[in-house]
């Protein structure tokens, strides 16, 4: 009988803890996502691609997942990517399927980690606002206007 008591007690304590966690609203609350900033680098010279960056907040209790980005002002669909370095120190972009937006935090994209690779349709001028729609695994897509800035700048 005592061999059964320990696992049953452990199970009961676990269920009680999970029940309390759920009762106070912390279990399973969906992601609450908002895009608070967007900017895109102006292309340099004949370079066909550039990068866009977004600040996404998540005030929900579970992580969100950005699965795609679209824009009517690009030649090809924008692509989620990460900044990578070779052993010799050269930088390159690596495509990714999705990007996690941590619960109760968010994500700030930057040139040294996560960004969106963009091939502009035409020349974008400094200060111009370009529409982008961010698509998430759950929830409605969010459309934001990203401001064209000089490479390395956050805002105009």
């Amino acid at each position: 009988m005592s061999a059964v008591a320990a696992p049953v007690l452990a199970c009961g304590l676990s269920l009680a803890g999970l029940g309390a966690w759920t009762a106070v609203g912390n279990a399973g609350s969906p992601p609450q996502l908002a895009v608070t900033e967007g900017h895109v680098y102006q292309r340099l010279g004949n370079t066909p691609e550039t990068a866009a960056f977004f600040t996404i907040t998540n005030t929900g209790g579970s992580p969100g997942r950005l699965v795609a980005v679209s824009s009517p002002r690009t030649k090809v669909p924008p692509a989620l990517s990460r900044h990578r370095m070779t052993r010799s120190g050269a930088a390159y972009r690596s495509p990714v399927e999705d990007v996690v937006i941590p619960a109760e935090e968010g994500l700030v994209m930057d040139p040294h980690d996560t960004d969106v690779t963009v091939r502009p349709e035409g020349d974008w001028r400094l200060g111009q606002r370009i529409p982008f729609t961010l698509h998430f695994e759950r929830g409605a897509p969010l459309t934001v206007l990203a401001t064209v800035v000089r490479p390395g700048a956050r805002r105009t």
Side-chain angles (χ1 to χ4, degrees):
M1 184 72 160
S2 64
V4 174
V8 169
L9 179 61
C11 226
L13 288 173
S14 295
L15 284 174
L18 287 172
W21 182 257
T22 302
V24 296
N26 290 321
S29 61
Q32 298 293 319
L33 303 170
V35 181
T36 59
E37 181 187 356
H39 63 279
V40 60
Y41 285 164
Q42 186 179 40
R43 275 192 310 183
L44 291 176
N46 294 330
T47 306
E49 294 179 339
T50 188
F53 309 91
F54 301 94
T55 300
I56 306 168
T57 60
N58 181 3
T59 57
S62 59
R65 190 171 302 275
L66 177 63
V67 296
V69 177
S70 60
S71 175
R73 303 287 315 278
T74 60
K75 288 183 179 181
V76 297
L80 297 170
S81 57
R82 283 200 201 288
H83 180 88
R84 300 281 188 222
M85 299 295 287
T86 65
R87 290 180 192 214
S88 63
Y92 68 97
R93 290 189 178 134
S94 175
V96 295
E97 293 287 318
D98 56 29
V99 178
V100 173
I101 299 106
E104 299 179 7
E105 293 179 27
L107 171 73
V108 178
M109 293 182 177
D110 69 62
H112 305 290
D113 189 20
T114 305
D115 63 17
V116 179
T117 302
V118 179
R119 186 171 287 212
E121 184 176 78
D123 288 325
W124 293 347
R125 297 177 317 280
L126 288 177
Q128 188 174 357
R129 300 186 37 94
I130 309 298
F132 287 90
T133 301
L134 283 66
H135 304 268
F136 301 93
E137 182 178 57
R138 290 186 219 135
L142 298 175
T143 299
V144 62
L145 293 173
T147 304
V148 178
V149 298
R150 285 181 180 19
R154 296 247 343 142
R155 295 189 181 120
T156 55

